[in-house]
Amino acid sequence: MIVAYPPGGGTDSSDGCWRRSWANSLGQSVVVENRGGASGNIGTELAARAAPDGYTILMGNVAPNAINVSLSRTCRSIPSRISPR
């Protein structure tokens, strides 16, 4: 799980609930990698470039997924590229 914000924030604290639930359901550990910076764009771009193998999930919020795309012409994390294929 890639969290697009640094540890200790609201997005990071909510991912803890999801992580425990998924670990119990999957029967294996869920690794969290916090990649904060650029209003969530760094972590979101990392998730967008991940192999589409079903092992990577992005935990973010509306900023990198909607707002940043409309504010920046150079934003490389387009939501249509991140959505499940």
Side-chain angles (χ1 to χ4, degrees), residues 10-76:
T11 306
D12 185 51
S13 61
S14 64
D15 83 73
C17 299
W18 289 104
R19 181 173 34 91
R20 284 186 290 277
S21 175
W22 288 333
N24 289 336
S25 296
L26 297 171
Q28 62 185 17
S29 298
V30 176
V31 177
V32 176
E33 184 175 349
N34 291 80
R35 288 294 188 101
S39 296
N41 285 346
I42 293 173
T44 304
E45 288 178 16
L46 181 66
R49 285 182 272 151
D53 56 9
Y55 286 99
T56 304
I57 189 166
L58 173 67
M59 181 66 147
N61 59 31
V62 71
N65 297 315
I67 298 170
N68 296 351
V69 173
S70 64
L71 293 177
S72 174
R73 293 180 184 180
T74 60
C75 188
R76 293 177 288 203

